[in-house]
Amino acid sequence: MNQPGGGTRVENPQGFTHTGPGNIYVNVGAQLQDSDKPAFRRVAEDQLRRLRRVLVAPVNMGKARATLAETGTVILDGTPGSGRTSAARVLLREYHQDGGVFHELLPGEKDELSLHDPALVEAGDQLLLDLSAADDRQWSAARADLPALRKAVHEQHAHLVIVMPHRGTLDPDLQYYRVEIHQPPGLNVLRRHLRMHGVPYEQYLQPDLTVDEFLRGTRPMREIADFADLVRRARETARPDEEFAQWCATAKKARNDRQKEVTALVAGLSEAPQRALLITVSMLHGAHADVIHHAAQLLLRTLDSPADGIPLLQHKDLAKRLEEISAETGPGGHVRFKELDYDSAVRAHFWNYMPDLRPHLGAWVASVVDLNDPHVVPAVRDGLVERVAVQYLRTGRGDGLASLAERWSSEAASRARLEAAVHALTCGLNDPAHDREFRERIYQWCAHRRLRGEFAQVLVQICADVLAASHPDQALLRLYYLARRERGTTRALQALCDLASSSRRLQRRLLDRLARSDLSPPDLGIFLRACDPVPLTDRSGTSRALVEENGVQRSLTTCWHAVLASLPRARWQPHAEHWLHRAADGTGHRGTALLDLLVSAADRCEERRGEVFAALYASARQAERTAPRGPTRSVETTELLLHRISVAQGLGPAPSPSPSPASASASASASAGETRP
């Protein structure tokens, strides 16, 4: 990872911004720590498992699976809409292992390693390189790096799936790995989706003219999935006497452009309360009537609409008002439009043709998610946030959505607003047209912006649970910036260390980043938390431990030297004791390597090295008293450390310590007190 370049980039400033030198410190609150919502990383895993269940294997999926199993690499080709990217993710999911991580490669993006860098691949990783939308220049550059990438994948027993541009050229030596997949029969795809939606098989196995008409010709897989979802929703709102044919007919009708209908409806609603209710139902479609009523009142207050002055008992009741906008309340009290998918047309109409409403909708959404109503459940809040996010993203206003999430996280933000901010940013990251923009924006926030209120903890959760699921290297860098700036909490630091510990590659990158930093106190604090000796000496599934790698040794020595030279002993001693305990745990030469690194770091302290050597020895003696497996092995480790110190000072092999702890201590003090240039 690289140090940020010169200058400061500020986008859509809200409140304070950082435009000069020096550190910026932020506080990460605890509002989201106790959230009962599932972690987005688990949600991402659930979505991938569901994708595997719902995917109808495209033609040649078996060949792609066999090629991947045999060579560790497969290059998927196929027409857009054939299911190439879904097939790629499913193929990699089948190789999910505890020792590796899923990683979507993003050549050319900030702080992403180049494809030819062997450090990009770790043992057992599952790598996706989706170049289906790449232009000729991007595809040519990637092709040049593929031999080196494949070599690293082979050496690390990893798996790589590449989605190439359709009709893109491929070098002759890579043709063996190319598999062209073809879309499976559309009817099979539709039926699989319907089955996953819980539609009874005796219904969807019936021949149907609407289905036949819809599937005539070739439909992209995404369109078939969307039609199946419309059938599901039509079934949920249908009368008891309606069956599959009626559900499909309703779904077909919902696919029609309703803009003229909605335009005519809005033109006939001249009163502000009517339009407020129409907007509310479209944004909270399916919510309970109580929520609709209160949210519509909130919208009027947000827009500063004057009260009508009519006595309460003379107001139209909600049933009559809903009838005026072609909506109704179901048996459970939930409000929906009478026509399927009418809500999306209403949302698009107001967003497109009343743009002055847009700034007010953000404040209104924040008020609604804060409503103290038992019917405002997480699904209602999430649905509301997603609907407003879709409008921002649909019209190319990712900056507006990002600013909205930032405002929701301002001072004294509630947990509901913070979760809404996380969900809004997640929508941006998951949108193929805006994901890169949001990743860059999150980088700017984490590295350069002064963060107001509780926005820092929103970014921690976004990086740890959303970005890390597919782009762990980018998440690592962003969490690093948050961790070195936070005060009064260690949530970003904990998330950073948890992410780094999930992969040897990530831990290597974090240590390298720290060693190349300015080694300020925040960096050293991160290092002390991240230098856990257990994963450093673990050889599970690999030929050598991290501590045996030359690059890692250099990073550890550099950081430990800065710690020993600039921090008080009380700060680093618990961590040094942990290293000494690990060295005494029977890890053999890997434990010895830990001692050598400590001694080498102390040896760099020049005029203070005698003092630092003495402090290390004293820490080893103290570690004997706290050793988890008793003092015997720790005493041997102390003797070995003393020997290494003596050798470093040019004093030759250390004499055998006497049985008396006092005499051993005196001998150590005499040895450690000697220094040489």
Side-chain angles (χ1 to χ4, degrees), residues 588-622:
H589 67 278
R590 285 167 283 149
T592 304
L594 295 176
L595 301 182
D596 289 339
L597 289 168
L598 289 175
V599 172
S600 178
D603 194 38
R604 294 186 181 185
C605 291
E606 299 177 349
E607 68 274 4
R608 290 190 61 235
R609 68 174 188 159
E611 175 189 345
V612 175
F613 279 144
L616 274 180
Y617 179 77
S619 297
R621 295 306 305 271
Q622 184 166 335

Side-chain angles (χ1 to χ4, degrees), residues 240-487:
D241 60 331
E242 292 182 341
E243 294 189 347
F244 186 68
Q246 286 81 14
W247 307 337
C248 292
T250 302
K252 175 187 175 182
K253 185 178 179 182
R255 286 172 51 82
N256 298 333
D257 185 1
R258 297 184 179 275
Q259 285 302 310
K260 290 184 178 180
E261 297 176 46
V262 172
T263 300
L265 175 64
V266 173
L269 301 174
S270 57
E271 299 177 5
Q274 293 176 310
R275 294 188 173 188
L277 184 62
L278 182 63
I279 295 170
T280 300
V281 173
S282 74
M283 296 294 291
L284 287 161
H285 199 245
H288 193 273
D290 289 354
V291 177
I292 297 294
H293 171 73
H294 293 305
Q297 297 303 312
L298 277 175
L299 181 57
L300 288 170
R301 287 199 291 271
T302 302
L303 297 172
D304 293 326
S305 294
D308 56 17
I310 300 175
L312 181 62
L313 289 177
Q314 293 182 22
H315 286 185
K316 298 176 184 176
D317 63 25
L318 186 59
K320 178 62 176 177
R321 294 169 59 211
L322 290 174
E323 183 180 346
E324 293 173 349
I325 62 170
S326 300
E328 60 187 359
T329 304
H334 298 276
V335 176
R336 292 183 173 86
F337 288 111
K338 296 177 182 179
E339 296 290 339
L340 183 64
D341 225 29
Y342 201 78
D343 54 310
S344 62
V346 172
R347 290 192 296 271
H349 175 89
F350 280 102
W351 193 268
N352 292 345
Y353 302 118
M354 298 189 74
D356 290 343
L357 275 175
R358 297 173 188 174
H360 301 286
L361 287 178
W364 172 71
V365 170
S367 300
V368 173
V369 300
D370 273 343
L371 277 175
N372 184 20
D373 188 300
H375 297 294
V376 184
V377 295
V380 170
R381 294 189 180 101
D382 289 350
L384 175 60
V385 172
E386 286 174 16
R387 286 163 183 150
V388 75
V390 165
Q391 299 308 312
Y392 276 106
L393 298 172
R394 178 182 65 83
T395 53
R397 292 298 309 275
D399 56 338
L401 179 61
S403 298
L404 191 62
E406 192 174 8
R407 288 201 301 275
W408 288 344
S409 312
S410 61
E411 296 290 344
S414 65
R415 177 191 293 180
R417 290 196 187 196
L418 296 181
E419 290 178 349
V422 170
H423 205 67
L425 294 178
T426 301
C427 290
L429 287 170
N430 288 339
D431 187 274
H434 295 84
D435 53 351
R436 183 166 186 165
E437 170 195 346
F438 272 81
R439 289 194 296 269
E440 169 64 19
R441 190 178 297 276
I442 290 169
Y443 173 85
Q444 295 297 330
W445 274 323
C446 294
H448 300 306
R449 290 285 297 275
R450 185 177 297 276
L451 306 178
R452 301 181 305 148
E454 306 292 345
F455 191 45
Q457 69 164 314
V458 168
L459 294 176
V460 169
Q461 183 162 347
I462 278 290
C463 293
D465 288 340
V466 184
L467 197 57
S470 56
H471 306 96
D473 294 71
Q474 293 199 8
L476 188 81
L477 178 70
R478 287 149 179 77
L479 286 171
Y480 161 75
Y481 282 125
L482 290 172
R484 73 194 305 267
R485 295 165 59 189
E486 68 180 341
R487 287 294 182 271

Side-chain angles (χ1 to χ4, degrees), residues 561-585:
H561 165 247
V563 166
L564 297 173
S566 59
L567 295 184
R569 176 184 166 191
R571 179 79 185 279
W572 56 257
Q573 177 168 313
H575 303 278
E577 284 190 32
H578 191 24
W579 272 49
L580 294 163
H581 290 157
R582 182 62 176 172
D585 275 350

